[in-house]
Amino acid sequence: MVTTTAGETSRLRATVDFVREQDTATLLPLLLPGLDGPELRSLADRCRFAHAALLLFPCDEQELHTTLTACGLTADGPPRPSVVVRERLAVRHHRDPADLDVGILRPAVTGLDGAHRTVEIFALTVPPGSGLDPLVAHERERQHEAHLAFEVDGPDPLVLRGLCATLARHGAVPDGGGYNPHENGTVFYFAAPDGAKTEYRRMELYAPGDHRDVLAAHLAEHRERQPAEALLRLLTGAWTTQALAACAELRIADALEIRRGTGLDDLAERIGATPSSLATLLRYLETLGAVTADPALADGYRLTALGALLRTDAPESMRPLALLYGGPFYRSFGALAHTVRTGEPGFEHVFGAHHFDHFAADPELADLFDRSMAAGAAMFGPLPTHPVLLAAGRADTPATVVDIAGGNGALLGRILAVHRRLRGVLLERPHVVEAARDALEAAGHGARCTYRGGDFADVPADGDVYLLSRVLHDWDDERCREILRHTARAMPGHADLLVVERVLPADGSASLATAWDLHMMCNVGGRERRAEHYARLFADAGLTLVGQEPLPLDGTVLHVRKAAAAN
């Protein structure tokens, strides 16, 4: 065994003494040489010295308790799981996070100035024979997790960005971080400048609450300096997909509750799983934020709001997407290199047929695809309030909305639910039309709907508003022009066309559209496009782009009219 109780006690006692003797105004200049005057006062007003942290290696909980007692500390409760440190150790030592049992304790310490602080103890349990001795020896020598923490008072995005910028100006370098759902707190780690006048080489900003939007920019800077770690995390993306797909397939979310925990053995029995294997999956799902451990129940878990989206009965359930992305599309993405080499969609290479033909030949897959399309309905939330639809809903004569290739009618139903005077026409393949009819009638819209079985050459005439939602990205440019020409011929001069797509950003900024561009190429031979590209396709069909508005999930609605009507 690499560690000893005496050694652990000595390290912890030194940390306790440091926390007791220091204060915010003294520590900040030691960590950030050159910080003084108004900038020091501003930083000290925004954050306060909260704790010093160290990593201990008890063989069990009893040894940890003995060490705390020897240093005059009282545990603040049972150790809470550490998400951030466990992942850092896993990446640094090439270990499976599920094999590292890391907990957090924060026993209280009163400073000489009367301030209430804590010592943050990360406890990695190292049972005899665990094989973790090399990891322990390395961590004790390097002290990677030892740091000083400053808690941000009243954090908001602007304050957090300003604090991070101030630290960077004085030489602090982003060094990771994360969001811990067990505590609802966000951690920003920094490496101290070379000139820091303290033995602690790392510092932390701790912000209560979920600030993952600000954290994303902080971590991006860290990854630029840690390319191997960044690449390793990216390479495990397939594990994330399969873990969520397995959660959906096993109906774990259906068997869990948000407000009450379920024990591991009970959950395993409900879903027909091996408890030890299920425990490993749950620990990983916990790091993804899909489930959370229930502190009131040993080996118990509760569902999170994110995980609840995988419930079968959840409004706009995303379970079909998890099954699709972890099933057929997971297999087809294995042929992405083939797509890049040959231009042939990976889906066709793997399954021997085009995406739509393959799904149409399998009723279960076809149903899964249609339900997965409906699962992305959050993108449509603001669409019924688009000015075109508001005007149509208020027209003196009831207007007609034509949904071209409208799937199971989810979007049309959403629009008809808001605008009670509108009528709807849904054009789809014959086998899909019947499912859409059933759904729209069940929602109470059947009396205002008509249905057309056919393809793009059969676009109904005399509508007032036409919809092409997530259709054009399925096809190459020539097929898009053909679809748009059919649509333009059917549109009266006064009609409007609303095109819903994920539009590639013109400035190359981060967007879901970039990922979907790869997805469309690999699976259907289609693509996402920039707005100016769509404008050229519209012009080739005698149409004009007259406006665009953002939608959720990086969606965009493009407002299009006939060229003559737009002038």
Side-chain angles (χ1 to χ4, degrees):
M1 190 67 185
V2 173
T3 61
T4 65
T5 301
E8 299 285 86
T9 302
S10 176
R11 293 173 58 228
L12 179 56
R13 185 174 289 119
T15 304
V16 171
D17 290 342
F18 185 91
V19 171
R20 183 176 291 119
E21 295 165 2
Q22 299 296 329
D23 59 55
T24 305
T26 302
L27 266 183
L28 283 172
L30 294 178
L31 283 166
L32 305 170
L35 180 68
D36 56 18
E39 209 165 27
L40 171 59
R41 289 194 296 274
S42 176
L43 199 58
D45 287 342
R46 289 292 190 181
C47 59
R48 56 183 175 80
F49 175 42
H51 67 254
L54 76 166
L55 176 60
L56 299 180
F57 309 96
C59 66
D60 55 29
E61 193 166 333
Q62 180 57 47
E63 182 178 295
L64 177 61
H65 177 74
T66 299
T67 303
L68 292 177
T69 302
C71 295
L73 299 175
T74 302
D76 59 328
R80 295 170 294 281
S82 167
V83 175
V84 178
V85 173
R86 179 175 63 183
E87 288 189 356
R88 286 171 59 88
L89 289 171
V91 170
R92 199 152 54 232
H93 297 279
H94 309 291
R95 297 272 186 168
D96 184 344
D99 295 335
L100 302 176
D101 181 12
V102 185
I104 304 175
L105 288 170
R106 293 196 182 95
V109 175
T110 301
L112 297 179
D113 57 358
H116 297 290
R117 304 189 185 98
T118 63
V119 173
E120 183 170 72
I121 300 170
F122 302 117
L124 170 62
T125 302
V126 185
S130 64
L132 293 175
D133 286 2
L135 180 156
V136 173
H138 175 92
E139 292 297 325
R140 288 202 65 183
E141 177 185 356
R142 303 294 179 86
Q143 296 290 312
H144 290 295
E145 300 307 326
H147 65 261
L148 301 177
F150 297 82
E151 184 166 342
V152 182
D153 294 322
D156 63 45
L158 187 60
V159 168
L160 288 175
R161 290 190 178 95
L163 290 174
C164 290
T166 298
L167 297 180
R169 277 198 304 275
H170 289 274
V173 177
D175 189 33
Y179 170 69
N180 191 338
H182 305 286
E183 300 179 346
N184 189 28
T186 309
V187 173
F188 302 79
Y189 283 130
F190 295 85
D194 291 338
K197 299 178 177 64
T198 172
E199 64 182 45
Y200 288 90
R201 309 311 302 167
R202 296 176 67 239
M203 62 182 298
E204 166 196 315
L205 284 183
Y206 178 81
D210 186 347
H211 302 283
R212 279 178 278 190
D213 51 345
V214 182
L215 179 66
H218 176 80
L219 293 179
E221 291 187 41
H222 170 63
R223 291 189 188 106
E224 289 180 3
R225 297 173 171 85
Q226 304 288 335
E229 179 179 336
L231 180 59
L232 187 59
R233 290 180 182 277
L234 293 172
L235 288 172
T236 63
W239 305 351
T240 297
T241 302
Q242 283 302 315
L244 293 171
C247 180
E249 182 177 342
L250 296 168
R251 298 181 184 270
I252 291 174
D254 288 342
L256 289 175
E257 299 179 37
I258 289 180
R259 293 181 175 84
R260 185 173 63 179
T262 301
L264 177 63
D265 290 339
D266 186 15
L267 179 61
E269 183 177 353
R270 290 186 194 182
I271 67 172
T274 303
S276 59
S277 300
L278 177 60
T280 301
L281 174 59
L282 288 168
R283 282 194 294 270
Y284 187 71
L285 290 172
E286 187 178 5
T287 70
L288 302 178
V291 301
T292 184
D294 188 340
L297 185 64
D299 293 327
Y301 285 88
R302 291 184 287 111
L303 201 59
T304 66
L306 183 151
L309 291 172
L310 294 175
R311 291 183 66 96
T312 307
D313 59 356
E316 299 176 357
S317 169
M318 298 183 77
R319 181 173 181 269
L321 278 177
L323 295 173
L324 192 63
Y325 292 170
F329 288 160
Y330 188 85
R331 291 180 58 192
S332 61
F333 254 109
L336 178 59
H338 173 84
T339 296
V340 175
R341 278 196 302 266
T342 67
E344 177 191 8
F347 195 98
E348 291 185 25
H349 180 68
V350 171
F351 294 102
H354 188 276
H355 164 281
F356 291 118
D357 296 333
H358 180 76
F359 277 43
D362 185 328
E364 288 188 9
L365 272 181
D367 178 63
L368 176 63
F369 178 74
D370 288 335
R371 286 187 290 116
S372 73
M373 292 293 287
M379 181 189 289
F380 306 142
L383 195 62
T385 60
H386 189 281
V388 164
L389 289 168
L390 289 175
R394 296 166 182 162
D396 294 336
T397 303
T400 299
V401 177
V402 179
D403 194 354
I404 304 167
N408 66 358
L411 173 56
L412 184 59
R414 188 179 287 253
I415 291 170
L416 295 179
V418 173
H419 302 288
R420 309 302 298 182
R421 299 181 68 248
L422 288 179
R423 299 183 180 278
V425 179
L426 187 134
L427 172 68
E428 253 296 358
R429 295 155 292 165
H431 73 279
V432 179
V433 161
E434 293 310 310
R437 185 195 305 272
D438 292 342
L440 288 166
E441 288 185 355
H445 307 312
R448 292 187 287 143
C449 288
T450 56
Y451 308 90
R452 300 282 186 89
D455 59 23
F456 294 115
D458 304 308
V459 177
D462 300 327
D464 299 290
V465 180
Y466 288 76
L467 305 175
L468 278 169
S469 175
R470 298 181 297 178
V471 170
L472 298 181
H473 73 166
D474 289 333
W475 307 100
D476 61 25
D477 282 1
E478 190 49 47
R479 181 61 165 150
C480 283
R481 292 187 186 96
E482 183 182 344
I483 293 168
L484 290 167
R485 288 180 183 125
H486 286 309
T487 303
R489 279 195 292 269
M491 289 172 60
H494 71 277
D496 295 280
L497 169 63
L498 299 181
V499 175
V500 176
E501 296 288 357
R502 286 191 171 95
V503 174
L504 288 169
D507 60 0
S509 58
S511 170
L512 288 173
T514 306
W516 256 258
D517 194 22
L518 192 68
H519 168 68
M520 301 311 297
M521 177 184 74
C522 186
N523 285 294
V524 299
R527 61 182 299 184
E528 307 294 354
R529 300 169 172 89
R530 293 181 176 178
E532 60 266 26
H533 191 154
Y534 277 118
R536 291 195 298 271
L537 295 177
F538 298 148
D540 291 344
L543 299 166
T544 297
L545 176 63
V546 297
Q548 62 185 77
E549 298 291 338
L551 293 173
L553 304 180
D554 280 351
T556 298
V557 54
L558 304 169
H559 179 198
V560 183
R561 304 202 75 190
K562 281 196 166 183
N567 293 334

